Amino acid sequence: MVFIFRDVVRKTGCRKLKRKIAALTVAFMFMFSSSAYAVDINIDDTNVEFCGHTGIPFIDSNNRTQVPLRITMESLGAEVDWNQETQTVVVKKDDVMVEVPIGKYYIIKNGQQIPNDTIAIIRGSKTFIPIRAVLEAFGTEVGWKNETQTVTIDSQSFHGSDGRIPSVVVCLKSHPGDFTITTAENYPGNILALKIEKLNEDDMVSIHTDAVKAKEKVYKYGDYFIALLPIDLYAAIGDHDLTVTFNQGKDDEYNITRTFVIKSKTFKTQYLVVSESLNQSNRNDEANKEFVEVVKPARTISEPKKLWEGEFIMAASGRLTTDFAQIRYVNNEISSSRHSGIDLAAPSGTAVLAPNNGNVTLAAPGLLSTGNTIVIDHGMGLFTSYYHLNTMNVRAGDAVSKGDVIGTVGSTGFSTGPHLHYAVSIYNTYVNPHQPIAGIID
Ligand SMILES: [Zn+2]
């Protein structure tokens, strides 16, 4: 089984995208209420409900209703087999055997070819059959209620006079996917978490919102899927739309849009005075280039599963001197970026602990800007970073557990005194280290 997800990297203006999404959403809502998407299957006046893992009926290009083979035929009490060699579905009921070769304009009933005006297809990992042709081969009456767009099947005509009532499989959802935003309080710089449910194995998902500027990834977690999204520090306060597109570019593409609120938060301003020699030797193009070449790549590949457990502990005990996203002036010049983490002032040599389980992806000595630098991957795109360390106890590739001493506080790189710069990021986008992590996805 392959999970395919499409990452969305936005290059165009947000307004433009938002308009486009709004237009798309309207288009798909329209489709829901017309015939192209929603087809109900009704057996003995009971709707068979389909969900992501069973496949969803649809009307094909020949205007025939295609249904997921297995759930439909087994709901009717038939036996379903698959002949891999001939790519043929074999459906048996009593003394009737109907063979349905994939992609062929005929079906075979008890060895005899019957022409058909459409074909059975494999879509994703599901086989879909044209319901009318197959059931009629069993002598079953298949009806169509136009007003409700429902295929009706009388099971008695399938089972004969024994009138056996079929087992109808009911799923909770009649469409393949849905999502919820699981973080209740959403501030600029926080993580916004999505829980995406009831996907097919082959579904593609992409996420669109103007509140998130970074690359998004979706990870399987238990029975559902998770996306951790860094809310843009400069996102407008107020309502934002978030649209999840399922199966973009496929016949069954559709969108679900939900609105969430970004709440207001004020960030402090800090005026820092440093010696010109420190400023010139550690805050320059070379330092920036080194950061881009050494530190950023360590936060680009993440373990696709959640490595952390429970809450993150404090990486060091110390006094908070500069907070996350503080606006900074260095020698009266505004810093181009907000403070990427929190600074904890502590005596040189103070233990720095892994705040949670993860894998070390970087332990680099003597970087110009960040000094002795460690990066830990906690999985699902969540990273923590440690700058200006005195000593480092770990190496790239090491697995660490919550509470392990990974190094000590120092004052290496662009630093005016011993402190730990601790940063949390989704890949390379920094997020608020004060946000409790434990409750985000559990
Ligand atoms: Zn700092």
Side-chain angles (χ1 to χ4, degrees), residues 339 343 419 421:
H339 191 234
D343 285 346
H419 76 287
H421 175 105

Side-chain angles (χ1 to χ4, degrees), residues 336-356:
S336 57
S337 56
R338 302 278 201 98
H339 191 234
S340 65
I342 54 173
D343 285 346
L344 298 167
S348 193
T350 301
V352 174
L353 313 177
N356 217 316

Side-chain angles (χ1 to χ4, degrees), residues 26-38 251 253:
V26 170
F28 282 95
M29 277 165 64
F30 178 72
M31 281 179 70
F32 279 145
S33 60
S34 72
S35 66
Y37 185 81
D251 297 352
E253 169 177 328

Side-chain angles (χ1 to χ4, degrees), residues 385-403:
S385 303
Y386 311 79
Y387 300 164
H388 315 300
L389 298 169
N390 181 17
T391 56
M392 300 191 289
N393 293 351
V394 291
R395 282 194 288 194
D398 287 355
V400 291
S401 300
K402 194 191 285 193

Side-chain angles (χ1 to χ4, degrees), residues 114-275:
I114 305 173
N116 190 19
D117 54 9
T118 193
I119 58 173
I121 60 167
I122 293 176
R123 201 190 231 205
S125 57
K126 307 279 184 312
T127 307
F128 287 81
I129 53 161
I131 184 77
R132 179 181 293 272
V134 173
L135 285 187
E136 282 179 355
F138 282 97
T140 305
E141 280 168 40
V142 179
W144 172 253
K145 272 191 208 155
N146 203 36
E147 60 282 16
T148 53
Q149 302 284 304
T150 305
V151 174
T152 58
I153 302 163
D154 172 8
S155 77
Q156 217 166 57
S157 66
F158 186 75
H159 291 288
S161 55
D162 65 355
R164 200 178 123 196
I165 294 167
S167 58
V168 175
V169 180
V170 177
C171 294
L172 290 174
K173 306 302 289 187
S174 57
H175 54 74
D178 199 358
F179 77 93
T180 43
I181 293 169
T182 60
T183 42
E185 303 258 277
N186 296 301
Y187 295 102
N190 266 30
I191 296 170
L192 178 93
L194 294 192
K195 184 173 163 184
I196 304 168
E197 297 169 271
K198 298 182 182 74
L199 292 182
N200 292 305
E201 297 97 62
D202 310 298
D203 277 350
M204 295 195 301
V205 173
S206 59
I207 301 161
H208 314 264
T209 172
D210 66 358
V212 175
K213 295 254 157 53
K215 187 167 107 165
E216 300 119 12
K217 283 219 164 114
V218 177
Y219 293 103
K220 184 154 174 56
Y221 183 63
D223 290 338
Y224 46 87
F225 293 81
I226 293 291
L228 302 180
L229 311 171
I231 300 174
D232 185 12
L233 262 181
Y234 301 93
I237 304 308
D239 286 359
H240 289 260
D241 281 350
L242 190 148
T243 298
V244 174
T245 302
F246 295 87
N247 297 329
Q248 193 163 0
K250 290 186 175 181
D251 297 352
D252 52 349
E253 169 177 328
Y254 72 104
N255 292 288
I256 298 179
T257 299
R258 302 212 192 290
T259 301
F260 69 100
V261 182
I262 295 184
K263 294 186 175 178
S264 156
K265 183 175 178 175
T266 40
F267 296 100
K268 286 187 221 156
T269 303
Q270 184 186 45
Y271 297 90
L272 205 66
V273 178
V274 302
S275 74

